[in-house]
Amino acid sequence: MKRLLLDAADSVGAQLASAAVGGGRRTVVLSGKPGSGRSVALKAACRSLVETGHRPIVVAPPERHVDTCAVALLQIAVSLAEFNEFDINQMGWHKPAPWSQRIADVENWLTTEDRPQRLVLLVDAMPQWAIPEHEWTTRRVNDIRSLVLTGRTPVVVVGHESGFHHDVVVDGPSLGGETALSDSAHWGPLTPVVTELRDRAPALATGTPAKIATVVAAAALMSVDEVLTWCNPTVPTEQVADRLADHVADDGRLRRLWNAWMAGAMAREQIPDDWVKDHFARVTSEIELAVLERCLFIGGNDNGARIEPTREARAAAWRQPETPFTSRVRDRAAAELQERYRDLLDDAVAAGSPSAHLLAAEVLYLGARIGDVASTKVVPLAFADQASAVGIAAQSRSLWAEAEEAFERALEIDPQDAFARHELAFSLDNEALEPARVEEEYQHSIQLEPRYAMWHARLISFLLVRARTRDALDRWSMSRSELTTHDGTGPVSLYEKLHLPIAAVALRRAELTMGHIVLDDVPVWARSQLPGYQAHRHRLDTLDAAQTTGAFVPAERADQGWWKFGPALLSERNSDGRQLQLWIAGGVEFATPERIDLNVAVIRPEADRPQTGTMSLAWEDLERFALDQSRAADLQPGDFLEIGYYGFGAELGGDPTIRVLPRTDWLAGIETPLDPSRYLQNANW
Amino acid sequence: MSTLVELAPLGDDLMLVVLGPGVGESVLIGWPPDSWMIVDSFCRTAGALEVHPAIKTLEAFDGSLRAVALTHPHEDHTRGFASLIDRLGDGGRVGWWPEMVTQEGRWSTSNAALAQRNGANEQAVAAIHRAWTENPSSRWDLIADAPPLALGDASIQVLTPLHSTVEEHKSLASPNANELSSAMVFRWKQCAITLGADLVNLRGWDQLEIGHGPFAFAENLAMKVSHHGSREAQHPVALGATPRTERLLVTSPYSRGGKVPDYRDGEDVERLLALTDDLYLSGHHGPRPSHAESSPVRRRELAPSMLSLGGLGEIMLDAPQPSIDDCWVAARWAADGTRLSVERGRGSLLVVD
């Protein structure tokens, strides 16, 4: 069955790729219902494009938000010579930039005709584009729509009701199918439901995370018997959600149970939070609460628990200027949530309440989400998941001691709770405390639950950070064999969650051997589907080259044929018509009060390869010939400059021209999740 | 000419091995029966393979690693240092400054060489931090006035940094790690060898002369010359002022920007040749005369190829480099201080004037 689904995805992907590059078409739209396998088809299209010599660029989750998508486009357009990586935590997302400027830059890129290689931009599903609840969202969506429709770069947009015409439609029951219902132990209060569902209808227990989550929710809120009367694997996720919404529309008790379920499920990352965001609104059928959800989820972490209680903080997370409309909605929604939370808290702590567990679960859910960690402590805890939810909320607010305490409570309730054990280790690791215990708890959690690649990645990164490279390599080998199938491969998500984070730490620490081992392990077929792979590989290659010869040009320009690109700032011809005859690219190795020492590459237009060497440059010469005086005066080791000699024909004459390159933060897009120097900083080293 | 791994076992002798192909330096000292100390580290990556000459040497001699020391946090001394710590035996000592004075380098940079340098330094310091916190008895403070470290029959006296130098650097916006680097004297029986690290004169050897006298360490049997033999690191307190033919001077070159040593008249190498007949370089960054493997080379034969840029000076062009496995010099002494041999790899040089 799964094979058939993947074959179908390949077929749709091939159609998509063909439509993208054939017939001069610039924009191709893939449509399909949620859970129908759009993303899988997109990946197949990506593979197909690679095989036919194109260079697809994927804007994948979590870059699907309107604003981040624009920033991603911008990053491709202006920051990188070729696709590197989108990391919303590190990009211009944090750097205020006028939308008009941002969109102008993107437009400029998209409409550029001279491109060394044809690019195909694949934008993975943006369902929220179709639900513009705010004026500013609508405007931005329209901006991007018009850009991709008029641009000269082939763009494949995958979306649902996104306003584009549809070129290719995915209409399968679920091409996704990569997720299976996880161990029932992870579903907290819903464990009996999940167990029953899995036993009686195993076919319903596979599918996309969204499908599984919806079916489980329906089974919990109705009954497994009832669900089995109308639900089967071919029923689209959306239809299940419709049934569910109808069922719970007027039932407050069920809504609370829904909330309780979400608390556990979200903590377990069982469902993507953008899906929750959209479907929560459907289930509750309350527009205000839906808007509230949208407000609160923006800035949320993977567990959806990072909620800032103040309007200012939420606005900061949203990264948008307040408008009277958004301000009014947020105030109203926040007040409602606070009020509801207080009522529930009172109920929950009242002795003898027949539904104490149910109420407690919801209180914990809401309390965690509005960040009231202290109040949630008064709620009687029956499940380890509840304590973990508090811990996750505390983590998201950087209350590490609170988080550790919460996870300790979870472990008192259930010492075999792998999640709490792992998050306890992560909290301690974050603070660079008790490294021996961190290692022990990481190891223990993986013993209990070996399937989470991210957990392995955290342990291996910890070992690298502690400069235990040999141990890290040993653990890497073990993890790799535990997480891959008999042929030594795994799904793309494995490489995303295990390989790339480890590679990032290894490269940061100049452990190039480990960098090679880890990145070489990513199968060729997975590389094009893995956002970030090229960025890490490029960085590793550049570090390798720098190890041999030093660095002459900024890393983003370093490439096998970089000297053929021509100078960065020097012009090919100067004002009196003389041609650039000799170009010297230099990296500053050392600076003294008298001179700067440079590693240089001497490039002549007719040469196949540059000559390398070293030279010293007196400050007075630098000041005399540099066109960028302010940057020249601040030259430091690690900076770059270019020296050019101009002449007619073969003649070299006159004074040199020196340009100093502006300083850039090339590595910003590949930061590690935690600062590798944290243990040193904690010890004040 | 043999390879390093083919050398005779340690036996009853003292052995000094200086490794250094052009970027990276590691000094090994072995003494009976099988004890070794390694000062500084470098390694190279070739795809998924790592070449770590110091470890290769240690394994070739089947040595017991008693101590490792990091003289200062520069990439050509730090790379692969964590791997050395991993190979320490029980009771092994890890030498490092008692406090971190320099915080060199930006991590967020577009310069790959700098990124690599910062990463290697951070990894080395992280390894030391781990060793010292997990096993406090491994701690060996590299600071002047610390009591000599006794390792069996051997002892190591740390000369620098001086406390006053450390204090002075704390107030500097850009502390200079070379001025703080830890020079030391290794003693075994009648033998004494000076390990000059990258110590330069200002706030380094100059200050040592004040405390120890004008030629305090010039009588030692041998010296790993400081800072790749650069002129700014040559000082009478370590090198003396008159030729002494029995004294062995070994240095490793640095072949990146501001290449050292300088072979021109009146510069680094000529000055060193005025002080000894036995000047060895573990590697060389310019063109190599064909007879260099088997016989001494004259200083002037080592002039690098230059590209003149008129008024802007000239570019010293890189030359093909030998394998890092060939860039070494190894010397042996008997317990009474008699030098028994000096051997060297194909990439090394014996220089005469």
Side-chain angles (χ1 to χ4, degrees), chain A residues 466-469 508-511 513 516 539 547 555 589 599 612-614 636 638 640 645 664-665 667 683, chain B residues 45 47-48 50 79 86 106-108 110-112 116-117 119 122-123 129-130 254 256-257 259 309 316 318:
Chain A
R466 300 289 290 161
R468 292 168 56 184
T469 309
R508 152 82 185 230
R509 284 291 178 84
E511 291 286 357
T513 305
H516 274 286
R539 181 170 154 195
Q547 177 188 238
E589 174 80 7
N599 298 307
T612 61
T614 61
Q636 295 173 17
F640 297 98
Y645 282 88
T664 57
D665 291 344
L667 299 170
Chain B
T45 302
E50 185 172 87
R79 208 159 144 66
D86 285 346
R106 306 181 298 267
W107 167 243
S108 192
S110 68
N111 187 305
Q116 186 183 211
R117 188 180 307 174
E122 188 176 278
Q123 183 77 334
H129 173 259
R130 171 172 56 83
Y254 187 75
R256 292 276 164 80
K259 287 183 166 81
L309 296 177
M316 197 182 293
D318 290 338

Side-chain angles (χ1 to χ4, degrees), chain A residues 435 463-471 504 507-513 516-517 520 539 542-556 582 584 587-590 595 597-600 602 604 611-617 621-622 624-625 636-640 643 645 656 658 662-668 671 675-677 679-680 683-685, chain B residues 23 43-51 59 74-75 79-80 82-83 85-88 96-100 102-103 105-134 139 176 178 227 232 254-260 305-319 321:
Chain A
L463 294 171
L464 271 173
V465 161
R466 300 289 290 161
R468 292 168 56 184
T469 309
R470 282 208 300 188
D471 292 340
L507 297 187
R508 152 82 185 230
R509 284 291 178 84
E511 291 286 357
L512 304 189
T513 305
H516 274 286
I517 290 170
D520 290 352
R539 181 170 154 195
T542 310
L543 292 173
D544 260 345
Q547 177 188 238
T548 310
T549 59
F552 314 115
V553 291
E556 57 267 30
L582 183 64
I584 299 166
V588 180
E589 174 80 7
F590 193 62
R595 61 173 211 275
D597 291 332
L598 299 164
N599 298 307
V600 296
V602 183
R604 296 176 191 275
Q611 276 182 299
T612 61
T614 61
M615 70 176 289
S616 290
L617 188 59
D621 287 336
L622 181 64
R624 197 167 143 216
F625 298 120
Q636 295 173 17
D639 291 337
F640 297 98
I643 303 170
Y645 282 88
I658 299 178
R663 212 168 274 156
T664 57
D665 291 344
W666 164 60
L667 299 170
E671 280 296 353
D675 182 355
S677 67
Y679 284 87
L680 299 175
N684 203 25
W685 270 43
Chain B
V23 176
C43 63
R44 292 279 191 283
T45 302
L49 296 175
E50 185 172 87
V51 182
E59 290 173 348
H74 278 165
E75 180 231 358
R79 208 159 144 66
S83 299
I85 291 179
D86 285 346
R87 280 163 176 80
L88 276 172
W96 171 237
W97 298 340
E99 57 183 320
M100 185 71 174
T102 63
Q103 297 287 342
R106 306 181 298 267
W107 167 243
S108 192
T109 172
S110 68
N111 187 305
L114 192 60
Q116 186 183 211
R117 188 180 307 174
N118 294 342
N121 294 345
E122 188 176 278
Q123 183 77 334
V125 174
I128 295 167
H129 173 259
R130 171 172 56 83
W132 280 14
T133 51
E134 290 181 359
R139 180 172 177 146
N176 182 339
N178 287 344
H227 194 236
E232 62 190 332
Y254 187 75
S255 58
R256 292 276 164 80
K259 287 183 166 81
V260 277
S305 302
M306 308 296 279
L307 173 68
S308 175
L309 296 177
L312 213 55
E314 48 194 3
I315 293 175
M316 197 182 293
L317 296 171
D318 290 338
Q321 293 297 301

Side-chain angles (χ1 to χ4, degrees), chain B residues 102-261:
Chain B
T102 63
Q103 297 287 342
E104 296 200 349
R106 306 181 298 267
W107 167 243
S108 192
T109 172
S110 68
N111 187 305
L114 192 60
Q116 186 183 211
R117 188 180 307 174
N118 294 342
N121 294 345
E122 188 176 278
Q123 183 77 334
V125 174
I128 295 167
H129 173 259
R130 171 172 56 83
W132 280 14
T133 51
E134 290 181 359
N135 182 11
S137 63
S138 70
R139 180 172 177 146
W140 171 25
D141 287 339
L142 300 188
I143 185 90
D145 304 336
L149 175 69
L151 296 170
D153 296 341
S155 72
I156 301 110
Q157 177 191 4
V158 178
L159 305 179
T160 54
L162 300 167
H163 290 284
S164 57
T165 309
V166 172
E167 290 307 313
E168 199 171 342
H169 275 266
K170 283 180 182 173
S171 63
L172 297 180
S174 303
N176 182 339
N178 287 344
E179 291 183 356
L180 291 158
S181 71
S182 293
M184 54 189 85
V185 175
F186 178 92
R187 292 190 175 85
W188 174 74
K189 305 291 175 86
Q190 301 302 309
C191 305
I193 298 173
T194 309
L195 306 179
D198 273 1
L199 190 66
V200 288
N201 296 346
L202 182 66
R203 291 183 284 223
W205 293 114
D206 285 342
Q207 298 301 310
L208 273 178
E209 183 180 12
I210 295 170
H212 293 268
F215 305 114
F217 311 105
E219 297 297 315
N220 291 343
L221 292 176
M223 179 179 187
K224 196 294 292 179
V225 180
S226 302
H227 194 236
H228 318 288
S230 76
R231 182 175 173 175
E232 62 190 332
Q234 294 178 24
H235 198 283
V237 72
L239 293 166
T242 54
R244 183 171 184 275
T245 55
E246 286 299 310
R247 184 178 45 185
L248 175 72
L249 298 183
V250 187
T251 193
S252 68
Y254 187 75
S255 58
R256 292 276 164 80
K259 287 183 166 81
V260 277

Side-chain angles (χ1 to χ4, degrees), chain A residues 491-568:
Chain A
V492 171
S493 60
L494 170 70
Y495 304 108
E496 186 177 2
K497 291 181 177 174
L498 182 70
H499 291 58
L500 293 191
I502 294 170
V505 178
L507 297 187
R508 152 82 185 230
R509 284 291 178 84
E511 291 286 357
L512 304 189
T513 305
M514 183 149 189
H516 274 286
I517 290 170
V518 172
L519 290 180
D520 290 352
D521 191 55
V522 178
V524 174
W525 61 264
R527 295 177 183 180
S528 62
Q529 302 176 40
L530 192 58
Y533 175 82
Q534 289 300 337
H536 287 76
R537 172 58 68 177
H538 178 74
R539 181 170 154 195
L540 176 59
D541 292 344
T542 310
L543 292 173
D544 260 345
Q547 177 188 238
T548 310
T549 59
F552 314 115
V553 291
E556 57 267 30
R557 289 179 64 80
D559 195 277
Q560 199 171 8
W562 60 268
W563 59 89
K564 294 184 186 298
F565 295 164

Side-chain angles (χ1 to χ4, degrees), chain A residues 151-207:
Chain A
R152 296 178 191 280
T153 295
V155 176
V156 176
V157 177
V158 181
H160 172 57
E161 296 172 357
S162 54
F164 299 100
H165 70 283
H166 300 168
D167 293 284
V168 180
V169 177
V170 180
D171 199 19
S174 173
L175 294 177
E178 291 185 1
T179 306
L181 190 60
S182 65
D183 197 346
S184 57
H186 298 289
W187 289 81
L190 294 186
T191 300
V193 176
V194 172
T195 305
E196 185 180 355
L197 187 65
R198 194 168 51 182
D199 291 345
R200 296 181 57 189
L204 287 177
T206 60

